Amino acid sequence: MRKGGNCVLEIANLWFKYPNGDWVLRGLDLSVSEGEHVLVIGETGSGKTTLTRIITGSANLIYDGILKGRVAINGISLEENTEAFTSQVALIGQNPYLYFTEPLVRHDLYSYALSVHGNVERAVKALNKAIEVTDIQDLIEKYFFELSGGQAKRVLVAKALISNSQLLLFDEPLMWLDDVGLKDFINLLNILKVLRRSVVIFEHRFMPLIEHVDEVYVLKNGKLTRISNRLHAFKEAGGKVHHGFDCGPNCKSSSNGGNVLLETVDVHFKYRNSSDYVLRGINLKLCKGDLVLLYGSNGQGKTTLLKVLAGYLKPSRGRVTRKTDVIYIPQNVVLFYTESTVEKEVVEICKARKMSDVHVKLGIEAVKKLGIDPMQSPFNLSHGQMVKLAFELARTSNSEILLLDEPFSGLTYGDRLELLRHLVESNCTAIVATSNLDAIGSPYWTKLYKIESGKLVVLNPISSPSLLYASRLYEEIIGVE
Amino acid sequence: MLRDLSYMLTYSSRLDDYSTLCRALLASSTIVLLLIIRWSSESIAIELTRLILVLSFEFYLASLARGLRGVLAGLKLISLFAIIGALVFCVSYLVGWLAPGPIMLVPGMLRLVSLFLGFSLLFQLVSFQEWRSILSKLGLKNQSVILSMVLSQVPTIIHYLSEAITTVKLKYKGKRLHKVATPLTLLSFLTSRALTESYIVYGLPTYSELTTYKRRDLSLYLLFVILVLLEIMISNLLPLLIEVA
């Protein structure tokens, strides 16, 4: 906590475990003062989400966990008065679309303002102020499912401001955000700083945020360790991180000389009700062994292009030639899994392609090599493991082309690098769509493209070691006890 | 197609000029009218004529909310079901299975489309907030909250469904599409848990003020009265005309 500020959040010697589980948090301490912005980083499963659940009061109310120690906001203890405690905090979760109770943004905000302030006049006043501060005038007449991830998070911050919550929690705020959304989010942090709202951010992708927070902590072994000084020292020693690229001419064809597995010629695509083309003149040649990065902001046509390449959507104009099977792994990787065990996943994917038992056995062996028990449910795996397993299943099925939509979302830098290495070692042919620049600096890509307003352009990366750098930084700091 | 469908289940603020009572009454009366037609029409010709009239009225109401293009786009998916149903009907007739004959096809398809449109009007014409208030006034406060929790997530679920279909179709080479049910069921559990957490933080949704009369209501009431009168005329006069002919 910074000196001189009023303490907004106070956590002292906090222990927590879920029913029938081990202690997730073990004597955790944290103080956040008025207007202070704190970033908490940690591995998957380190307890970040559990900590947000405790601060919002849901750990006790929904999960029936066992809690020891003191948690208080503005002096109100969680144990003494849960209702008053929870009214002091606002949560902006990973999936912002779950926080809307009305389809129309204006109705949702008004309904919330009315429930907080009691009468129409005060509700309208608070609503107008929140809309003005967060600059969401252009969003309020939209349905929430029309908003991008970044826009939905901006609306939720407006919702938090309506209630005068002193403490705002962001659980993985950069998940699903493209680089434009990232800028929006940083602007929001600056607004909250001016309004002197305390903020706690839980995030894997910490590099873009460390300049914009007051303190950085690592959550490890159930405890928080302050690393702000160490982080700055490491950064100074390691030099600057930069993301750089320039765009070449419109891509006509690119080949590494191998067998061409997929080729598109002048592909245009528009949805039936729309007059605008989502894809315009896409020319792409994918050769065996190519590892292609497709970068673009949200709404530029990445997912549509993947679906056209997969054959799920038919191009309105132009031609797509596929010489092999294609597997699509969606952003929400849970949707890829359909069986109760990993072993059944292998069996079913082979059965659909009339493959022999030998292939099934090889597939199960490959899964074991990943350190995954074939008898466990795929739904119990971590996000990173789920994506890796999906690669492996695709390889087992002899599908030569993998199409991955935002596979890095929600992964630590180390996990991202490991995933990439796994792709390279698997000798896959893959197209990876991403909306974040930090993967561009990886040395593994054989081709890089940017998709902008439906057009594909070749990216020529200048030295951009962000992912490697962040990964090394993360290993360094996460190793600190 | 699925995205268009999600718009069919959401209220449009274009209808704020009409009172809640008028919108709720007309949306529910249209469904009642459809049920009456189903059970009271003496012949297919009469039912067909009456269905076309109600369908036109439904189109008019829906286009007030969405515009005609939006309504037609939203009806694509349900039309697909109607066409599939028609094909099954034709095959059954050709192979001699129990089928009422091709002449029954048209009213069957119209019934499906008009009923779907009728039910979608309940949500296009009346907002979730208004439904919550109506249900709580009827003593169904808890049910109203559950209903709005479920309905608020319909567009998200439709998006997941579209993603799951793409994924599973490619994974199993176009077969076993029914397997999308597994990940979608799991996602429903995860979503409901996350929703409960969000309700703890942001509280339960509020109730809106219900309006009973606005000037523009008269035009809709008048139109509905004309529709009912036409329905009565057709059900009484058309049999006589058929008999004479």
Side-chain angles (χ1 to χ4, degrees):
Chain A
M1 187 180 99
R2 283 182 313 186
K3 285 174 188 170
N6 296 328
C7 184
V8 173
L9 173 68
E10 185 196 350
I11 300 177
N13 195 26
L14 175 69
W15 290 72
F16 182 84
K17 68 173 179 178
Y18 291 102
N20 309 319
D22 206 1
W23 291 104
V24 181
L25 303 178
R26 300 158 179 263
L28 182 145
D29 297 298
L30 175 68
S31 288
V32 181
S33 61
E34 188 187 340
E36 188 177 12
H37 290 191
V38 166
L39 171 65
V40 176
I41 59 180
E43 299 270 10
T44 308
S46 60
K48 296 192 299 297
T49 302
T50 302
L51 188 54
T52 60
R53 283 175 184 159
I54 291 168
I55 303 173
T56 56
S58 62
N60 276 5
L61 292 168
I62 300 176
Y63 298 93
D64 203 21
I66 298 165
L67 188 145
K68 289 196 285 184
R70 177 176 164 77
V71 186
I73 300 175
N74 286 328
I76 302 164
S77 158
L78 171 65
E79 279 197 330
E80 285 162 16
N81 191 343
T82 309
E83 205 174 316
F85 176 92
T86 52
S87 68
Q88 305 280 316
V89 59
L91 170 72
I92 291 93
Q94 290 175 13
N95 183 350
Y97 304 104
L98 295 174
Y99 295 81
F100 291 88
T101 52
E102 299 290 333
L104 198 71
V105 170
R106 180 168 56 84
H107 288 172
D108 185 76
L109 292 179
Y110 176 70
S111 162
Y112 181 60
L114 205 59
S115 72
V116 170
H117 295 283
N119 74 57
V120 175
E121 199 184 327
R122 279 166 59 194
V124 170
K125 202 175 162 188
L127 174 65
N128 289 340
K129 195 178 169 193
I131 290 171
E132 192 191 328
V133 168
T134 50
D135 193 22
I136 55 164
Q137 287 90 342
D138 53 336
L139 306 179
I140 56 169
E141 291 303 329
K142 288 190 174 185
Y143 292 115
F144 76 83
F145 51 87
E146 293 176 329
L147 304 177
S148 71
Q151 289 172 329
K153 283 179 184 180
R154 224 159 88 199
V155 171
L156 280 185
V157 169
K159 208 165 174 174
L161 295 179
I162 286 172
S163 67
N164 276 328
S165 304
Q166 275 306 303
L167 178 67
L168 279 87
L169 302 179
F170 289 91
D171 191 9
E172 299 205 24
L174 305 191
M175 198 164 179
W176 301 356
L177 288 199
D178 57 15
D179 291 316
V180 178
L182 172 67
K183 273 186 193 163
D184 276 358
F185 179 69
I186 288 167
N187 286 340
L188 264 178
L189 283 184
N190 294 334
I191 292 166
L192 292 171
K193 195 85 189 163
V194 173
L195 296 171
R196 295 200 56 75
R197 299 296 167 100
S198 307
V199 171
V200 182
I201 304 165
F202 299 86
E203 179 59 60
H204 289 301
R205 230 180 106 202
F206 56 89
M207 289 301 287
L209 297 176
I210 46 182
E211 302 286 337
H212 304 275
V213 293
D214 302 304
E215 294 289 356
V216 184
Y217 292 88
V218 165
L219 180 55
K220 193 183 174 188
N221 299 329
K223 283 184 177 180
L224 282 173
T225 312
R226 185 171 168 269
I227 56 155
S228 313
N229 294 341
R230 209 168 283 137
L231 201 62
H232 289 298
F234 187 93
K235 273 193 74 181
E236 275 169 27
K240 284 183 180 174
V241 177
H242 54 96
H243 316 279
F245 63 87
D246 59 7
C247 297
N250 200 23
C251 175
K252 283 174 186 165
S253 76
S254 46
S255 164
N256 65 2
N259 295 334
V260 178
L261 299 181
L262 186 146
E263 190 177 4
T264 68
V265 179
D266 194 31
V267 164
H268 287 68
F269 180 83
K270 66 174 175 182
Y271 289 99
R272 272 177 204 161
N273 306 321
S274 170
S275 53
D276 295 332
Y277 278 98
V278 182
L279 302 176
R280 299 154 190 265
I282 303 282
N283 293 298
L284 179 75
K285 203 181 264 183
L286 188 69
C287 299
K288 194 171 170 60
D290 272 347
L291 198 54
V292 176
L293 181 86
L294 183 65
Y295 167 75
S297 303
N298 293 337
Q300 298 299 312
K302 295 189 302 293
T303 306
T304 306
L305 177 57
L306 292 188
K307 287 183 179 175
V308 168
L309 296 179
Y312 182 71
L313 296 175
K314 298 263 175 290
S316 314
R317 226 167 73 196
R319 175 169 55 85
V320 180
T321 316
R322 272 175 302 275
K323 291 184 181 162
T324 180
D325 235 7
V326 175
I327 287 253
Y328 172 72
I329 302 175
Q331 181 172 5
N332 195 340
V333 71
V334 172
L335 297 171
F336 187 80
Y337 295 101
T338 51
E339 308 302 324
S340 56
T341 64
V342 172
E343 190 185 60
K344 279 186 186 167
E345 289 282 352
V346 179
V347 173
E348 290 298 317
I349 206 163
C350 290
K351 224 196 244 179
R353 287 165 178 79
K354 294 175 182 158
M355 294 165 84
S356 67
D357 288 350
V358 179
H359 281 100
V360 174
K361 274 183 190 165
L362 286 172
I364 292 171
E365 284 308 310
V367 165
K368 281 181 186 167
K369 275 185 193 164
L370 290 177
I372 296 170
D373 176 7
M375 296 319 290
Q376 81 176 106
S377 164
F379 300 108
N380 286 339
L381 300 173
S382 71
H383 180 82
Q385 281 178 315
M386 277 194 186
V387 179
K388 271 194 246 173
L389 177 62
F391 289 166
E392 216 46 68
L393 289 171
R395 248 164 48 99
T396 304
S397 71
N398 279 345
S399 298
E400 286 194 82
I401 303 172
L402 279 182
L403 304 173
L404 297 114
D405 197 4
E406 302 275 5
F408 302 125
S409 280
L411 293 187
T412 62
Y413 290 108
D415 282 341
R416 288 169 188 222
L417 209 55
E418 207 190 315
L419 264 179
L420 264 172
R421 283 181 184 142
H422 187 71
L423 260 178
V424 175
E425 284 161 13
S426 309
N427 203 20
C428 286
T429 307
I431 300 180
V432 177
T434 179
S435 54
N436 305 133
L437 280 171
D438 45 28
I440 285 180
S442 155
Y444 301 122
W445 308 114
T446 55
K447 289 169 191 169
L448 290 117
Y449 294 101
K450 185 182 184 188
I451 188 161
E452 203 166 41
S453 306
K455 283 186 178 170
L456 204 61
V457 287
V458 180
L459 273 180
N460 301 318
I462 305 164
S463 171
S464 163
S466 59
L467 188 59
L468 289 167
Y469 178 85
S471 175
R472 207 178 116 224
L473 174 62
Y474 189 72
E475 276 169 23
E476 195 85 8
I477 53 177
I478 208 83
V480 176
E481 290 291 333
Chain B
M1 211 183 266
L2 286 165
R3 195 181 170 84
D4 292 327
L5 187 68
S6 61
Y7 281 102
M8 294 287 282
L9 298 171
T10 43
Y11 174 74
S12 163
S13 52
R14 286 194 208 178
L15 297 165
D16 284 349
D17 289 343
Y18 300 93
S19 74
T20 319
L21 182 69
C22 171
R23 286 179 276 122
L25 212 59
L26 291 185
S28 40
S29 304
T30 311
I31 294 174
V32 173
L33 204 57
L34 282 169
L35 294 175
I36 292 171
I37 291 171
R38 178 71 190 100
W39 305 117
S40 70
S41 298
E42 286 172 18
S43 69
I44 291 172
I46 294 172
E47 189 180 355
L48 210 61
T49 321
R50 293 174 75 187
L51 273 175
I52 288 168
L53 273 175
V54 179
L55 201 58
S56 315
F57 182 66
E58 285 178 333
F59 266 112
Y60 176 70
L61 289 180
S63 61
L64 282 180
R66 298 263 87 81
L68 197 59
R69 265 183 85 173
V71 182
L72 292 173
L75 278 177
K76 260 192 265 170
L77 187 74
I78 199 67
S79 306
L80 192 72
F81 280 112
I83 291 164
I84 292 169
L87 287 174
V88 173
F89 225 68
C90 292
V91 171
S92 304
Y93 183 74
L94 285 172
V95 296
W97 289 338
L98 280 176
I103 203 140
M104 292 295 287
L105 268 179
V106 180
M109 285 168 74
L110 277 181
R111 260 180 237 134
L112 184 69
V113 174
S114 54
L115 270 173
F116 169 78
L117 199 55
F119 280 105
S120 78
L121 281 177
L122 290 174
F123 303 106
Q124 286 190 72
L125 266 58
V126 184
S127 71
F128 297 161
Q129 211 178 0
E130 286 170 324
W131 273 121
R132 272 199 303 275
S133 303
I134 293 168
L135 288 172
S136 78
K137 278 196 171 21
L138 293 170
L140 302 166
K141 203 169 179 176
N142 289 340
Q143 289 80 349
S144 74
V145 173
I146 294 167
L147 180 81
S148 61
M149 263 178 98
V150 173
L151 291 176
S152 68
Q153 291 307 310
V154 167
T156 321
I157 292 164
I158 287 174
H159 169 73
Y160 284 146
L161 177 65
S162 157
E163 280 287 288
I165 289 171
T166 314
T167 310
V168 173
K169 210 173 164 187
L170 289 167
K171 187 180 172 188
Y172 294 124
K173 300 197 86 175
K175 299 168 213 160
R176 301 169 206 191
L177 218 54
H178 65 278
K179 283 187 184 278
V180 294
T182 313
L184 288 174
T185 309
L186 183 89
L187 267 179
S188 305
F189 282 117
L190 295 176
T191 305
S192 60
R193 199 175 64 183
L195 265 179
T196 317
E197 283 185 45
S198 82
Y199 279 117
I200 287 174
V201 178
Y202 292 102
L204 292 172
T206 53
Y207 301 93
S208 79
E209 270 183 46
L210 300 176
T211 49
T212 49
Y213 175 73
K214 285 186 180 175
R215 270 182 67 185
R216 291 190 71 177
D217 292 353
L218 281 174
S219 57
L220 286 187
Y221 283 133
L222 188 68
L223 210 62
F224 187 72
V225 170
I226 293 170
L227 173 75
V228 173
L229 288 173
L230 280 171
E231 289 286 336
I232 294 168
M233 272 170 62
I234 288 165
S235 56
N236 291 305
L237 288 177
L238 208 62
L240 289 173
L241 284 172
I242 291 169
E243 214 170 286
V244 171

